Amino acid sequence: MAQKERKTSGAKALSQRSLYVILLAAVLYMVAAYLNFFTPDADASMVSIIVSMATAMVAVGIFRAWQERKGEPLADERTILVHRIAVGYSWWFSYVVIAVLLLVNQFKLATLNVEGVLSLVFFTMIASLLLFRFYISRQEVLG
Amino acid sequence: MKTRIKELRARYNMTQEELAKKAGVRRETIVFLEQGKYNPSLRLAHDVAAALKSKIDDVFIF
């Protein structure tokens, strides 16, 4: 019985999480609109980055809500384990990317700017997490 | 770890999806369990065994 209650509350929490993601995206849209219409000095690229982030968050929120509607749990002990392992690998991969960028900068192999490096690290972290998660979820023995 | 999940599922005429719902996990976890490619926690082993109306020892072969 306690087991059932735990699972039910877990499913509700996940639904709330999807809602929060969409609400946060709405806040980001409002921030972007404020910067665009009421702040003349605002950087246009910053506005487009915020809008892109918000759009991605809406997409994730809708996808999660759709999965929840199917009645399948979004995460169970195996997927949580896969995620944890993937986060570890992703962290190391991002660390290596940063080290490479540091060497590139040190030996002047390319011209780097802050925006470019931050964007690269930002996308490397999320992309590598998704890739590692996909790869590890197809591995046989996890733990 | 070898299991008798497939055999017990067939006995109770249960699909992987139904078993997954009863055990509160994703269907792919049941697939990996059946193939012996995932070592479940004690709680999951208990839930799967309960869903198959069996004891843990009858479902999972240690």
Side-chain angles (χ1 to χ4, degrees):
Chain A
M1 189 65 186
Q3 180 83 12
K4 290 269 181 205
E5 282 167 9
R6 183 178 59 83
K7 278 171 190 158
T8 310
S9 63
K12 274 183 184 171
L14 284 171
S15 295
Q16 279 179 349
R17 197 188 289 179
S18 301
L19 187 67
Y20 290 149
V21 167
I22 293 170
L23 282 176
L24 189 58
V27 170
L28 285 178
Y29 276 129
M30 284 191 281
V31 169
Y34 176 80
L35 287 174
N36 197 36
F37 296 117
F38 300 106
T39 316
D41 301 335
D43 187 359
S45 62
M46 178 59 77
V47 174
S48 63
I49 287 171
I50 293 173
V51 169
S52 305
M53 282 170 64
T55 306
M57 287 170 78
V58 167
V60 168
I62 289 171
F63 179 70
R64 290 178 72 100
W66 174 69
Q67 276 194 317
E68 283 163 4
R69 279 215 158 183
K70 287 199 304 183
E72 201 175 52
L74 288 176
D76 59 18
E77 69 168 46
R78 187 175 184 280
T79 54
I80 290 168
L81 182 60
V82 166
H83 180 75
R84 283 180 185 162
I85 296 169
V87 165
Y89 281 132
S90 174
W91 190 92
W92 278 113
F93 185 74
S94 303
Y95 181 82
V96 169
V97 167
I98 292 167
V100 169
L101 288 173
L102 198 69
L103 289 173
V104 165
N105 187 51
Q106 190 71 28
F107 294 107
K108 308 268 186 263
L109 298 173
T111 312
L112 301 176
N113 57 33
V114 176
E115 271 183 25
V117 170
L118 286 177
S119 304
L120 184 67
V121 173
F122 179 80
F123 286 108
T124 298
M125 287 179 81
I126 193 71
S128 62
L129 173 64
L130 295 174
L131 283 172
F132 280 123
R133 212 159 68 175
F134 177 78
Y135 173 73
I136 294 164
S137 70
R138 270 139 193 82
Q139 296 301 298
E140 294 196 351
V141 179
L142 297 171
Chain B
M1 183 190 294
K2 287 186 178 178
T3 72
R4 290 178 57 227
I5 295 176
K6 200 170 182 178
E7 181 190 328
L8 290 164
R9 239 179 2 89
R11 184 188 292 174
Y12 293 111
N13 200 20
M14 200 185 282
T15 64
Q16 287 177 333
E17 203 157 354
E18 286 166 346
L19 177 59
K21 270 192 179 175
K22 282 192 173 183
V25 293
R26 296 176 65 84
R27 194 182 67 85
E28 64 183 35
T29 300
I30 298 297
V31 172
F32 278 93
L33 281 173
E34 278 190 8
Q35 293 173 351
K37 293 176 178 174
Y38 178 59
N39 295 332
S41 67
L42 187 57
R43 181 183 285 278
L44 178 56
H46 169 269
D47 290 351
V48 170
L52 293 168
K53 298 167 194 159
S54 309
K55 291 177 184 171
I56 290 178
D57 280 358
D58 297 333
V59 179
F60 298 94
I61 301 158
F62 295 94

